[in-house]
Amino acid sequence: MLVSLVLANLKLIYRDRQAGFWAIAFPLIFLLIFGLFNFDDLEPLFHLNELGIQGKPVGYFDFLLPGIIGMGVMTFSIIGMGTTIAQYRQQRVLRRIQATPLKVRTFFIGQVLAWLILSLVQTAIIMGAGTVIFRAVIYGNYIWAVPLVLLANLTFLNLGFIVGSLSKSVQAASGLGNLLTMPMMFFSGVFFPTDNLPSIMAYAVKYLPLTLLLEALRGVLLAAQPLSDFSIQLVMLGSWVAVTAMIAVKTFKFE
């Protein structure tokens, strides 16, 4: 039952053009824009070579690629899940599910598993495009990106559930989702290191889930550090998962 539900959800998400835009087109547009230009002059400003292994420099596009991965996963999950839940509530799909033998818990587990699978596919596509087409350099182990993306994405999916629960329409969910994702996209280190922000703002965004994800991603991919070096980020991401899950349960409504 659960496998069939996951497959059905994957098909529904695949057919959703809006979800496809946020999953693939949106991050790839940023890759294209930044990949077509030379930003070498920015490297001394951002001290990017400090992120690489000794003797192996890190360029701006190398720095940018993990940021685009994190941004893509975040926007896809928060806005995609938020609008999906809002649509289900608006069309009374969730209420009808309660009248079937299908357990509500199984329904939501199937939803989460489907979105987690797609987040890994999305990550692979973005990383493949960045390294193959635009020659981004990755010094670390690609495999370490998998647990990081999955853990952070649980937080983003929980935020998507909250957005869908608080929104009365799909349009409202899209707007509220953008309200959550835009500040993190611009201030959590997607396009430039957070230490270039004013000190107060740098401290404020330090504990945001996207900031934590990007710190760990860049460490394992660009500096070839083991995942164990980021135990603090992992614990804090786990805390985000727990807190947002509790809020999602409290705010969720079938009607």
Side-chain angles (χ1 to χ4, degrees), residues 17 39 64 71 76 94 97-99 118 126 142 152 169 177 185 198 206 248:
R17 293 182 180 180
F39 293 92
L64 182 68
M71 179 194 73
F76 176 45
L94 299 176
I97 288 174
Q98 285 188 302
L118 285 174
I126 297 172
Y142 292 86
S169 67
M185 185 172 77
K206 183 178 180 181

Side-chain angles (χ1 to χ4, degrees), residues 1-247:
M1 175 67 74
L2 183 59
V3 174
S4 299
L5 190 59
V6 171
L7 292 176
N9 284 321
L10 288 172
K11 290 179 182 179
L12 288 173
I13 298 171
Y14 174 76
R15 294 171 182 171
D16 187 342
R17 293 182 180 180
Q18 183 176 355
F21 172 80
W22 289 111
I24 305 300
F26 184 67
L28 289 183
I29 288 172
F30 278 90
L31 278 186
L32 180 63
I33 292 173
F34 285 96
L36 292 177
F37 296 93
N38 185 357
F39 293 92
D40 291 341
D41 292 340
L42 296 177
E43 293 176 26
L45 177 63
F46 293 160
H47 308 292
L48 296 179
N49 288 344
E50 296 177 3
L51 293 170
I53 300 173
Q54 185 176 4
K56 296 182 179 180
V58 173
Y60 180 69
F61 192 82
D62 306 329
F63 168 86
L64 182 68
L65 182 57
I68 298 296
I69 291 172
M71 179 194 73
V73 170
M74 176 189 67
T75 54
F76 176 45
S77 297
I78 294 179
I79 298 176
M81 178 62 80
T83 54
T84 297
I85 295 299
Q87 183 178 22
Y88 284 168
R89 290 175 59 244
Q90 194 173 4
Q91 297 175 348
R92 298 184 181 275
V93 172
L94 299 176
R95 177 58 67 185
R96 290 197 290 269
I97 288 174
Q98 285 188 302
T100 69
L102 178 66
K103 293 181 179 180
V104 176
R105 177 180 59 190
T106 304
F107 173 78
F108 286 120
I109 292 175
Q111 284 276 331
V112 170
L113 289 177
W115 287 85
L116 288 178
I117 291 171
L118 285 174
S119 71
L120 294 180
V121 174
Q122 177 192 30
T123 299
I125 292 174
I126 297 172
M127 191 175 296
T131 54
V132 175
I133 299 176
F134 297 108
R135 299 291 190 270
V137 178
I138 301 295
Y139 297 123
N141 191 336
Y142 292 86
I143 300 300
W144 290 129
V146 173
L148 289 171
V149 168
L150 291 178
L151 182 59
N153 202 34
L154 287 174
T155 296
F156 299 142
L157 289 174
N158 287 338
L159 290 173
F161 271 110
I162 296 169
V163 166
S165 299
L166 296 177
S167 304
K168 295 183 179 180
S169 67
V170 174
Q171 292 78 10
S174 180
L176 183 55
N178 276 291
L179 186 63
L180 286 178
T181 58
M182 287 300 176
M184 284 194 281
M185 185 172 77
F186 288 108
F187 299 116
S188 287
V190 172
F191 304 107
F192 50 85
T194 56
D195 56 13
N196 286 279
L197 293 170
S199 56
I200 296 178
M201 184 176 291
Y203 181 81
V205 303
K206 183 178 180 181
Y207 302 105
L208 292 176
L210 183 59
T211 307
L212 298 168
L213 170 63
L214 297 186
E215 286 178 355
L217 266 183
R218 287 189 172 116
V220 299
L221 294 179
L222 301 183
Q225 294 175 256
L227 193 60
S228 57
D229 285 357
F230 299 94
S231 56
I232 294 177
Q233 286 82 355
L234 292 172
V235 169
M236 295 188 68
L237 282 173
S239 300
W240 268 103
V241 173
V243 171
T244 53
M246 288 189 291
I247 297 174

